Amino acid sequence: EMNDYIRYPSKWSAVSKNAKAICAIPSVTFNLTPVIQIYNINNIHKLLEFVDELTEEFGRPVGLDYLICYFPDYLDPRALPLELRQPAINRLEQYKNTGKNIEHGLIANSIDKALGHLKAEQHPHHEKLLQQFKDYTNVLDKTRKQEFSTIDPELYNAIFNG
């Protein structure tokens, strides 16, 4: 899973279980604050779906507030060309039109903020940053015995072989 790659050695099964345990406490307001970066750009909509599931399961709103990765700058989504960011843009715009939890002000504002960043011009140093991203990914994969190519094969191929 994406979480297990980005937040190594974290396990999504434990994160999900803990989120549900927190949501089960009636006096607690729960919001997710995921960071949008190159690694998870094609999966950021899945957290909106998770928030929708939590909201439905616990009968009260669960929020989400995207943060944007600016540092290290080689993880900033603007290092990618717009055509590689476009699928994420499309998914977020679709959620704005059909999402179960879009009336939650925090989520709507967060999506707008994320869309603004994803639609922005490509980072002026994108070539250098993408090389740093590749180098960093190769180190992670080797030291952790993981493979980003299995987490998001389409994005991996576009960056590494495109």
Side-chain angles (χ1 to χ4, degrees):
E1 292 236 11
M2 184 58 59
N3 171 83
D4 300 1
Y5 186 85
I6 294 173
R7 299 291 182 203
Y8 177 85
S10 170
K11 296 292 182 198
W12 177 250
S13 58
V15 172
S16 174
K17 180 181 174 183
N18 290 337
K20 290 179 180 188
I22 293 169
C23 286
I25 303 169
S27 61
V28 173
T29 300
F30 186 70
N31 297 310
L32 294 177
T33 54
V35 177
I36 298 175
Q37 57 174 290
I38 290 178
Y39 286 121
N40 66 4
I41 194 167
N42 287 328
N43 292 281
I44 57 177
H45 66 288
K46 291 182 180 180
L47 289 173
L48 289 165
E49 295 167 0
F50 179 64
V51 164
D52 284 349
E53 291 170 14
L54 293 175
T55 296
E56 188 172 319
E57 182 176 342
F58 294 96
R60 56 196 173 95
V62 173
L64 181 140
D65 188 17
Y66 286 121
L67 303 176
I68 307 295
C69 181
Y70 294 100
F71 185 83
D73 51 1
Y74 55 82
L75 294 179
D76 184 331
R78 294 174 307 146
L80 296 173
L82 183 58
E83 62 266 16
L84 293 182
R85 291 179 269 153
Q86 194 62 51
I89 292 167
N90 294 345
R91 289 183 192 108
L92 289 178
E93 287 177 339
Q94 180 180 359
Y95 186 87
K96 280 184 68 171
N97 294 326
T98 61
K100 296 177 187 175
N101 220 2
I102 193 62
E103 71 281 351
H104 193 295
L106 179 63
I107 291 175
N109 290 339
S110 182
I111 290 173
D112 287 340
K113 177 180 68 175
L115 285 169
H117 188 78
L118 293 173
K119 291 178 179 179
E121 287 188 35
Q122 191 171 17
H123 196 288
H125 305 292
H126 63 275
E127 291 174 356
K128 178 185 95 174
L129 296 178
L130 281 178
Q131 186 56 54
Q132 289 175 329
F133 175 83
K134 291 177 188 179
D135 295 343
Y136 179 69
T137 300
N138 287 333
V139 169
L140 287 183
D141 287 357
K142 184 176 180 180
T143 58
R144 295 177 176 179
K145 297 180 176 46
Q146 294 179 306
E147 293 181 23
F148 180 59
S149 63
T150 65
I151 303 299
D152 190 335
E154 185 177 333
L155 183 61
Y156 178 89
N157 285 328
I159 294 172
F160 284 80
N161 303 322

